[in-house]
Amino acid sequence: MTGPAPTWRRHTAWETALTPEDHAALSALLRVAFPGPEFEPDRSWPASWARKEFRVWLSDNDRPVAHLGFERRLIGTAAGDVLVAGVGDVAVAPSHQGRGLGSALMDALAEVLPDSADFGFLQCREAVAGFYAATGWTRVPNPTRHLGVRDARSVVEGVFPTFVRPGRRPLSQWPSGLVDLRGLPW
Ligand SMILES: CC(C)(COP(=O)(O)OP(=O)(O)OC[C@H]1O[C@@H](n2cnc3c(N)ncnc32)[C@H](O)[C@@H]1OP(=O)(O)O)[C@@H](O)C(=O)NCCC(=O)NCCS
């Protein structure tokens, strides 16, 4: 038996194409998903983390209910530079969690990634690692180096929950060893 058809709609947009109304609506979602000072009304990008350049979101009755952003960046690895889409600000509205929207968001990302970067890349809290493992991401053991989000100057290096997924290149080509994000994390 199949359930009712989903009522949400898929949106993709470059950051430069977002309207003030888009920012306000996305900010409302991100503020309930990430309570705290990272997102303010009308500012749908995080205060401390890297700003994204492309957005993917799902709306229900014109209200964004699931969102992710990514920024493309050439990161440094022992095997040379690699173009990644650094993904962050992944959020599903509390009212809509547990209904497959996070998974649908990743399906939408999978459609744009091959035109955007060699690999998708993200880091997360251990508490949500299972979500990424269930939605097409592969956990990798690489240590990473990036600027610290507290001051955007200090250098942070370590092994954190890190996931990649194929874009233009297959996962078999993901390099081993230290990955230098060359900036703020996503
Ligand atoms: C994490 C989050 C995006 C998941 O969205 P969601 O719409 O509830 O996820 P889905 O319903 O699409 O679940 C997809 C799969 O992930 C699993 N999953 C979801 N949340 C999980 C979690 N916290 N830990 C482990 N697995 C999880 C589901 O069981 C499902 O698995 P299945 O396909 O094997 O049944 C959502 O809970 C959220 O926005 N949380 C608050 C913000 C946040 O922490 N974002 C991540 C920042 S790194």
Side-chain angles (χ1 to χ4, degrees), residues 34 90-92 97-103 124-125 127-128 130-132 134:
F34 300 109
V90 178
V92 173
Q97 288 175 9
R99 291 160 51 179
L101 269 83
S103 185
C124 66
R125 293 174 292 118
V128 289
F131 164 69
Y132 295 109

Side-chain angles (χ1 to χ4, degrees), residues 21-65:
E21 292 74 25
D22 290 332
H23 282 299
L26 292 171
S27 173
L29 163 61
L30 290 164
R31 290 172 76 216
V32 290
F34 300 109
E38 278 303 319
F39 299 94
E40 292 176 0
D42 306 332
R43 181 170 61 65
S44 70
W45 59 93
S48 316
W49 301 72
R51 188 167 177 182
K52 316 305 182 288
E53 63 177 358
F54 194 85
R55 312 289 194 108
V56 179
W57 76 92
L58 308 176
S59 66
D60 187 3
N61 287 318
D62 293 331
R63 181 171 72 96
V65 290

